Amino acid sequence: MSAEEPLRRPSDPAPDRRREFAEEARAERPDLARLCLLICAVADPAVTEHDLVEADVELDRLAGLVPYGTRHTGAWKEELAALLGVREGFEGVPADYQRLESSLLHEVLRRRRGLPILLSVVWMEVARRAGAPVYGLGLPGHFVVGFGDPADLDLVDPFAGGRAMTAEDAELLVASATGEALDRSMLRPAEPGAIVLRILGNIRAWATPRPERSDVALWAVDLALLLPSHPARLRYERAELLVQRGAFLTGAAEMEAYAEIMDAVDPESADAIRHRAQAARARLN
């Protein structure tokens, strides 16, 4: 991307960020940072391409501060913790869970605060650009970053400023979140699409107890549906949001379409969904 935003004439159409998001999500190798920044642009239409480029340049700048010799020493955890956790002040606090900005990459880069998964995205993007063998690990209830061979569980917690984690730490984290033992299936590195789906899920979770922000929940669902892989139930969630926002006919129609899908796997649930669709249509009277 160019550091200069091209001048746009008043007659030029505004960028279609959702289309850009869909195209990037379906690319052979999706760019995680770009997907996260496109979420920012959908969240706030005032965000310009220049803002997105600035955020990308900041990730490049941070990567340039990683000592070049780290490629030979392999001390990625120590160097990145010193840079990102101490010098640059990236970390999380409990209050971050109550802020939508904590899920928006450009705001996380500005505030140096965010949810575990967004702070992990910062770590991953900086580390990747510096040449590190880095990956994200979406443990239940908490997202962390790993280096090297995933089987070695060489992990750090960006939310804690880059605190090193042992395999035992990961087991305790999973047990506290789920009450169950760590399963090896939880240790597969997360692909960009799965990371973005989880970020959008966090945004929906933020909006759910705030009915006045159903607009946020709706665009988060819409973006999630553009990902190549997503839960089918998101379509029902979208229909419910439409009804909540007063689009009774459209919401009811989408409920009925989802009920047809459910007929084959759960007829009882499909019938219940049709009843909700009828109730939505009745609200027009």
Side-chain angles (χ1 to χ4, degrees):
M1 280 187 293
S2 169
E4 295 293 331
E5 182 186 7
L7 293 175
R8 186 164 65 86
R9 297 168 301 188
S11 59
D12 290 343
D16 186 344
R17 298 305 190 186
R18 298 186 188 214
R19 178 185 58 77
E20 292 179 37
F21 180 90
E23 290 175 353
E24 188 63 50
R26 287 166 170 73
E28 184 177 352
R29 300 183 65 180
D31 186 320
L32 176 59
R34 182 65 180 174
L35 286 169
C36 290
L37 290 172
L38 287 169
I39 291 174
C40 302
V42 173
D44 181 2
V47 171
T48 67
E49 185 65 23
H50 182 71
D51 297 324
L52 303 187
V53 170
E54 279 193 333
D56 202 62
V57 168
E58 174 65 359
L59 291 170
D60 285 341
R61 184 189 74 83
L62 292 168
L65 296 176
V66 179
Y68 182 79
T70 312
R71 293 171 180 261
H72 305 294
T73 65
W76 294 108
K77 290 194 307 184
E78 296 79 7
E79 293 292 357
L80 285 162
L83 171 63
L84 298 177
V86 178
R87 179 173 166 186
E88 295 291 336
F90 283 97
E91 64 177 347
V93 295
D96 290 324
Y97 285 90
Q98 304 304 316
R99 302 181 64 124
L100 177 59
E101 299 96 313
S102 299
S103 291
L104 303 177
L105 181 56
H106 73 307
E107 290 287 354
V108 172
L109 288 168
R110 180 181 67 84
R111 296 175 55 241
R112 273 23 187 187
R113 295 288 184 273
L115 295 188
I117 192 168
L118 266 296
L119 291 168
S120 294
V121 168
V122 173
W123 269 67
M124 291 162 60
E125 285 298 309
V126 171
R128 178 184 64 81
R129 294 165 196 231
V134 65
Y135 61 92
L137 196 60
L139 297 175
H142 204 69
F143 203 99
V144 298
V145 169
F147 293 90
D149 187 340
D152 295 335
L153 287 184
D154 191 15
L155 307 175
V156 296
D157 182 359
F159 192 74
R163 178 180 62 86
M165 292 179 61
T166 64
E168 290 73 21
D169 291 330
E171 291 173 357
L172 288 173
L173 192 154
V174 171
S176 64
T178 67
E180 300 177 0
L182 177 68
D183 187 276
R184 297 301 297 182
S185 65
M186 300 175 184
L187 302 178
R188 286 193 290 268
E191 297 296 327
I195 295 172
V196 172
L197 184 64
R198 186 159 171 166
I199 290 170
L200 292 169
N202 288 338
I203 291 172
R204 301 199 316 277
W206 175 89
T208 296
R210 299 171 172 85
E212 72 281 3
R213 297 313 312 270
S214 62
D215 60 317
V216 172
L218 183 58
W219 64 249
V221 168
D222 285 343
L223 290 183
L225 287 169
L226 294 174
L227 295 169
S229 179
H230 57 262
R233 186 172 172 79
L234 283 178
R235 298 192 176 279
Y236 179 66
E237 185 175 332
R238 184 178 194 276
E240 285 192 312
L241 284 167
L242 289 171
V243 171
Q244 178 183 337
R245 292 175 58 78
F248 302 123
L249 290 179
T250 305
E254 293 200 11
M255 285 183 183
E256 289 162 348
Y258 182 70
E260 290 184 11
I261 297 173
M262 292 296 293
D263 276 330
V265 292
D266 191 347
E268 186 175 338
S269 293
D271 288 342
I273 292 168
R274 287 191 177 92
H275 285 307
R276 293 192 184 101
Q278 291 173 359
R281 291 181 188 281
R283 292 175 67 178
L284 286 171
N285 298 329

